[in-house]
Amino acid sequence: MNRSHEVVTGALCLALLAAAFCAWSALGNEVNLCVTAGCSLYQDTSIAGISLWWLGAGVFAALCFLALLGATHWGRILAALALTGDVLLLMVMALTAPCVSCLIVAVFFALIYMSFRHAAAARSRASKPGRSALVLVWGVLFIVNLGAVAKSQANVWAITDNGQEASVHMFFSPSCSSCREGVGILSGHVDVAFYPLAENDADVYRVAHMMRRLDQGDSMAEALARSQEVNAPSGFAAWSPDMIWLRFRMLRNKSHVFMAGAQTVPFFEYHGLPSMLVKQAQAASQRNATGAGSAAVGSATAGSSAPAAGIPNGAGATYPQQGQQGGASDALPLEPQIAGQCGGPTPCPE
């Protein structure tokens, strides 16, 4: 057989596998390989009404055909064009969210391109091909996306067990007086998850003590109050594997707050519509209806208004009073505190 028509076996096998993977993904596979938000972000992306998965399957089919014919020159050109397009996609994913399935396809594009390069060099009896600038750029972007995937899996850590279910997340520091007040008010609400972070080294030991108290049945407020007088462990105990792991988890919580654009605690996140806010809105509607009815019969003094239940803070938000049930007393603050916060350049008040 003439050498110019030898099958490029490596490129052929890789292109067949890649085409099958793209078709499998386009048809809706039952195995979820993706663990990042990028898959949902790009799953419906299309060009000229054609899904990216079917476009990829078509490109890999064309590469299969060229590898079967032994057309190393044209195969290398098509593979280079496909890899260039994949570099652009990797750049977009690096700036948005990585897609694990797309990264798998990216590996196929790179391997097929290198296979055609080596086959073309062997056919021309040239020396071993040098480094490809295209592959180097692809490699840098691929590593960046792998790092983004790893980072996305380092989830924030809740000291309570309801981190996945709670619609309200409160990030706090044990050394922050505003945080201690907020935890004391919100402790016992099943719809609130608490995420500790450290503003100083003592906070790490306080949180470690809180974990032990929670395991013994204390509430969040009780555990936080009893952690204030904890002394720092001495010697190796301060840097035991458990303490190092706790430091990392609290650092992850702190970086999450900073990446969200805040540098102070307490910091609140709302996921969906918290049930306590719904109760607050219902209570406000009932008060408005009652006030309107009273005004209609002349039983209310003109211009007067009932005081809202709660404890006002320096920023104007209202916390529910402890021990009250139902209505506005179950509401979370609509805005976090500003006055008296700790964090950032401001030292924590004692």
Side-chain angles (χ1 to χ4, degrees):
M1 181 181 291
N2 193 314
R3 279 188 67 86
S4 62
H5 295 292
E6 284 185 357
V7 175
V8 186
T9 307
L12 176 62
C13 294
L14 289 169
L16 284 172
L17 286 174
F21 178 77
C22 287
W24 179 60
S25 298
L27 294 172
N29 61 80
E30 297 181 357
V31 180
N32 185 16
L33 298 176
C34 200
V35 293
T36 63
C39 291
S40 300
L41 184 62
Y42 298 110
Q43 66 180 357
D44 297 325
T45 303
S46 61
I47 298 177
I50 303 175
S51 169
L52 284 181
W53 290 115
W54 286 120
L55 287 175
V59 171
F60 285 124
L63 290 170
C64 285
F65 182 71
L66 294 175
L68 190 61
L69 294 179
T72 55
H73 175 71
W74 292 107
R76 179 179 176 179
I77 291 176
L78 180 58
L81 292 174
L83 191 61
T84 301
D86 192 62
V87 164
L88 296 177
L89 179 59
L90 288 175
M91 190 179 302
V92 172
M93 289 195 300
L95 297 174
T96 54
C99 166
V100 173
S101 298
C102 301
L103 294 179
I104 294 174
V105 174
V107 172
F108 279 119
F109 276 129
L111 292 177
I112 292 172
Y113 172 69
M114 290 187 289
S115 178
F116 272 115
R117 285 188 79 236
H118 283 281
R123 297 283 173 87
S124 62
R125 292 181 172 82
S127 59
K128 184 178 179 180
R131 294 179 179 178
S132 169
L134 181 59
V135 174
L136 289 177
V137 173
W138 175 91
V140 170
L141 291 172
F142 185 80
I143 292 173
V144 169
N145 278 275
L146 282 183
V149 171
K151 184 178 179 180
S152 69
Q153 299 309 298
N155 295 324
V156 290
W157 167 67
I159 194 172
T160 49
D161 296 331
N162 60 334
Q164 297 296 324
E165 299 82 13
S167 58
V168 178
H169 295 178
M170 178 183 177
F171 291 79
F172 73 96
S173 163
S175 58
C176 165
S177 59
S178 298
C179 298
R180 294 196 295 269
E181 179 186 2
V183 170
I185 293 171
L186 299 177
S187 178
H189 290 272
V190 295
D191 203 31
V192 182
F194 297 94
Y195 293 79
L197 56 87
E199 292 193 315
N200 51 60
D201 205 51
D203 280 345
V204 180
Y205 312 128
R206 289 170 178 149
V207 170
H209 183 77
M210 287 179 64
M211 294 172 62
R212 291 192 291 269
R213 298 304 308 183
L214 289 172
D215 289 339
Q216 295 174 12
D218 284 4
S219 67
M220 268 294 301
E222 294 170 341
L224 181 56
R226 294 177 178 177
S227 70
Q228 297 304 304
E229 305 301 326
V230 171
N231 296 321
S234 59
F236 177 75
W239 292 96
S240 63
D242 289 341
M243 292 300 296
I244 293 175
W245 178 237
L246 178 61
R247 289 175 185 272
F248 171 76
R249 291 193 291 184
M250 295 176 68
L251 181 63
R252 181 71 184 94
N253 288 351
K254 190 172 185 178
S255 68
H256 178 82
V257 172
F258 274 69
M259 287 188 294
Q263 296 188 11
T264 58
V265 287
F267 175 75
F268 290 91
E269 279 187 341
Y270 298 103
H271 297 256
L273 185 62
S275 60
M276 282 164 281
L277 295 183
V278 176
K279 292 179 180 178
Q280 183 189 40
Q282 292 173 347
S285 299
Q286 291 174 358
R287 287 197 302 270
N288 291 338
T290 302
S294 299
V297 298
S299 60
T301 303
S304 64
S305 60
I311 304 174
N313 61 39
T318 299
Y319 287 105
Q321 294 183 2
Q322 291 181 332
Q324 292 182 336
Q325 299 293 328
S329 64
D330 289 331
L332 288 177
L334 296 178
E335 296 178 359
Q337 282 185 311
I338 297 175
Q341 287 180 330
C342 55
T346 305
C348 299
E350 295 298 333

